Amino acid sequence: MVRHLKRGQSQEARAEVDAGVRETVERILEDIERDGEAAVRRYSERFDGWNPPSFRLGEAEIRACIDVLPPQAIDDIHFAQAQIRRFAQIQRLSLRDVEVETLPGVVLGHRNIPVRSVGCYVPGGKYPLLASAHMSVLTAKVAGVQRVVACAPPFEGRPAPAIVAAMALTSVAIIGVGENAVFDAGGERVIEQTAGLLAITAYAPRQPYEAWILPARHAARCARAWRY
């Protein structure tokens, strides 16, 4: 006889939870769209206890995060990124532009052109997903994306050093200069914030899927697509 140690939620219960998450996410995005950074600050203070003068980290703040990490952590980040960068470069080289004259005066082909802007979200908390920085910020830079906005939530009231280091070390240019930026904000708030920061020509958010982020991404993309 089968004995169930634990039963999952019913389909109806899961649907009710999902509906509640979607409603909350949509309300947060509407607040941010209406009130801008003021709304981001309200939610950041409420959820993370984080209300800095600027959510964009400066060069000194990024350098401070890198400096507090032990050498082994920095070496591990460099090692992982070297492997990922190498394979990403091989993948990029495999994408060939094609142009051929099929008939006199008839030229067909295709080109692989990177999007201009990408927003990357790296989950944090007790177990930061550093690989998300490697697999989003780094691969975007290898692809030739001009502007990369990388965001991550604070942890215990301050930027998470390992996440900031992983995002910043993907490219020397990301530390305080150029078209790259590191922001310290989290969750569904960052989806709408990033969408506004990128001034969408090509909006390509990259982040892992989870209960709050997936509906935020979907809602933000649908709203932006409708507008533009």
Side-chain angles (χ1 to χ4, degrees):
M1 180 178 179
V2 176
R3 182 166 64 95
H4 293 275
L5 299 178
K6 183 178 181 180
R7 293 181 181 274
Q9 289 182 318
S10 66
Q11 184 174 349
E12 293 77 12
R14 290 198 302 270
E16 183 178 351
V17 171
D18 290 344
V21 170
R22 287 194 300 271
E23 181 180 351
T24 300
V25 166
E26 289 170 2
R27 184 173 64 252
I28 291 174
L29 294 182
E30 289 171 0
D31 288 348
I32 293 174
E33 185 170 15
R34 183 185 64 250
D35 299 336
E37 186 175 326
V40 174
R41 291 188 173 279
R42 288 199 302 271
Y43 284 114
S44 181
E45 178 70 31
R46 174 182 170 185
F47 295 135
D48 295 320
W50 178 245
N51 188 14
S54 173
F55 287 107
R56 179 169 182 164
L57 299 183
E59 181 176 359
E61 293 171 294
I62 294 173
R63 178 53 58 188
C65 288
I66 295 174
D67 289 344
V68 300
L69 294 175
Q72 184 62 56
I74 298 298
D75 290 345
D76 291 344
I77 290 173
H78 280 307
F79 176 82
Q81 292 188 355
Q83 314 314 307
I84 294 167
R85 181 182 292 105
R86 180 183 179 190
F87 187 67
Q89 290 169 338
I90 292 171
Q91 288 179 302
R92 180 64 185 88
L93 291 173
S94 72
L95 302 175
R96 299 179 57 190
D97 295 346
V98 174
E99 185 175 297
V100 59
E101 187 172 18
T102 58
L103 293 171
V106 179
V107 179
L108 306 177
H110 69 249
R111 296 178 61 195
N112 295 282
I113 303 174
V115 297
R116 293 179 58 187
S117 300
V118 165
C120 304
Y121 175 63
V122 180
K126 292 182 179 179
Y127 306 103
L129 299 181
L130 300 190
S132 295
H134 309 330
M135 301 302 294
S136 58
V137 180
L138 179 56
T139 54
K141 297 304 295 182
V142 171
V145 177
Q146 296 178 11
R147 187 182 190 199
V148 178
V149 176
C151 304
F155 181 60
E156 296 182 342
R158 64 187 180 90
I163 292 181
V164 174
M167 293 191 295
L169 293 175
T170 56
S171 170
V172 175
I174 205 170
I175 302 182
V177 298
E179 286 292 308
N180 307 287
V182 175
F183 287 81
D184 203 42
E188 61 285 344
R189 291 151 283 152
V190 88
I191 301 298
E192 180 66 20
Q193 184 187 32
T194 302
L197 287 166
L198 290 176
I200 309 304
T201 301
Y203 178 40
R206 293 290 306 279
Q207 72 281 323
Y209 302 125
E210 57 100 57
W212 296 93
I213 298 301
L214 184 57
R217 170 180 174 169
H218 177 73
R221 293 191 71 171
C222 287
R224 298 279 161 177
W226 177 259
R227 262 186 232 121
Y228 294 101

